[in-house]
Amino acid sequence: AQSVTQLDSHVSVSEGTPVLLRCNYSSSYSPSLFWYVQHPNKGLQLLLKYTSAATLVKGINGFEAEFKKSETSFHLTKPSAHMSDAAEYFCVVPGGNQFYFGTGTSLTVIP
Amino acid sequence: EAGVTQFPSHSVIEKGQTVTLRCDPISGHDNLYWYRRVMGKEIKFLLHFVKESKQDESGMPNNRFLAERTGGTYSTLKVQPAELEDSGVYFCASSRKRQGAYTEAFFGQGTRLTVV
């Protein structure tokens, strides 16, 4: 069965500093993996996706994630946080008939 | 290309009443999913359609919930009668037919349901 674990429920960073949101996955095979973002009162927007091509995946708004099979991780990073990055982020793994969501990480950006 | 559209965006109903949520997926997407997030908790799977057929409804909480996708286009999710614990945000998503690896799902804005 597939599952994802987001290790931090809240992350706080200062504007202009790096962002690291952690995700570990569990899968019986090499999975597809996604990161979604939800801004307040908005829908879920796809940030980036890994589908067994390049292990370093670039997404929108300067985010990227690296698939590490040996560590079963798919951490989301950004070199420099912007105020507009404040949102909730979800790591997602598909399997069977559904997409399995992590519990979400709320990112606060301090001016 | 229009995205996934959900109606209404908000709904406030009294306990015992009926509410119907609607989802219009992206045109041509065979897969349609319903998810729910209750009280800021985890986003939970409700069910999955492939065209008009229910592939998996293992996440439906009970028989007060009924989902349909007539003609394989838009979908409705009816709650009858609504209970207080049904309050939450209901998300709909659609994705293309799988050909090998999973493709991403596109989500709607969600319907915020409040049962009072």
Side-chain angles (χ1 to χ4, degrees):
Chain A
Q2 282 64 246
S3 67
V4 288
T5 302
Q6 290 184 245
L7 299 162
D8 306 293
S9 57
H10 294 91
V11 170
S12 210
V13 300
S14 296
E15 189 176 18
T17 64
V19 176
L20 170 63
L21 304 182
R22 297 182 294 166
C23 172
N24 285 95
Y25 70 89
S26 173
S27 177
S28 52
Y29 51 86
S30 188
S32 297
L33 287 159
F34 306 95
W35 275 98
Y36 285 84
V37 60
Q38 186 180 21
H39 287 92
N41 300 315
K42 301 287 185 182
L44 289 154
Q45 181 185 20
L46 180 70
L47 264 182
L48 50 79
K49 60 181 179 180
Y50 167 76
T51 52
S52 70
T55 55
L56 183 61
V57 181
K58 293 188 183 298
I60 62 172
N61 301 334
F63 284 93
E64 60 182 38
E66 187 171 8
F67 175 76
K68 291 186 177 180
K69 187 174 181 179
S70 60
E71 298 177 9
T72 60
S73 69
F74 190 56
H75 301 334
L76 182 70
T77 61
K78 182 173 180 177
S80 176
H82 191 272
M83 294 300 294
S84 60
D85 295 329
E88 192 163 16
Y89 293 78
F90 295 92
C91 185
V92 177
V93 63
N97 291 304
Q98 62 176 285
F99 292 79
Y100 294 86
F101 280 76
T103 49
T105 298
S106 179
L107 176 65
T108 298
V109 182
I110 303 164
Chain B
E1 179 181 75
V4 177
T5 308
Q6 293 187 243
F7 302 97
S9 56
H10 294 83
S11 180
V12 181
I13 61 171
E14 293 185 351
K15 176 182 172 180
Q17 288 187 323
T18 298
V19 63
T20 300
L21 313 181
R22 172 168 170 148
C23 170
D24 286 77
I26 293 172
S27 178
H29 280 192
D30 286 352
N31 295 292
L32 188 148
Y33 307 84
W34 283 98
Y35 282 82
R36 177 173 76 168
R37 191 176 197 192
V38 174
M39 290 289 288
K41 294 185 178 178
E42 295 178 50
I43 297 176
K44 291 290 193 182
F45 169 79
L46 294 178
L47 86 160
H48 169 218
F49 285 98
V50 175
K51 297 185 179 178
E52 66 276 7
S53 299
K54 290 178 186 174
Q55 288 296 114
D56 184 347
E57 50 184 337
S58 61
M60 295 286 262
N62 50 60
N63 59 11
R64 295 185 293 104
F65 289 74
L66 175 63
E68 295 180 324
R69 193 183 181 193
T70 308
T73 54
Y74 72 91
S75 175
T76 58
L77 179 64
K78 180 189 289 187
V79 185
Q80 178 183 30
E83 298 289 345
L84 298 178
E85 64 264 25
D86 300 332
S87 296
V89 180
Y90 290 77
F91 291 103
C92 175
S94 70
S95 67
R96 296 181 188 89
K97 181 179 179 179
R98 278 183 62 194
Q99 292 176 334
Y102 282 89
T103 58
E104 66 270 31
F106 296 85
F107 284 80
Q109 302 268 66
T111 294
R112 182 174 296 277
L113 174 65
T114 302
V115 182
V116 297

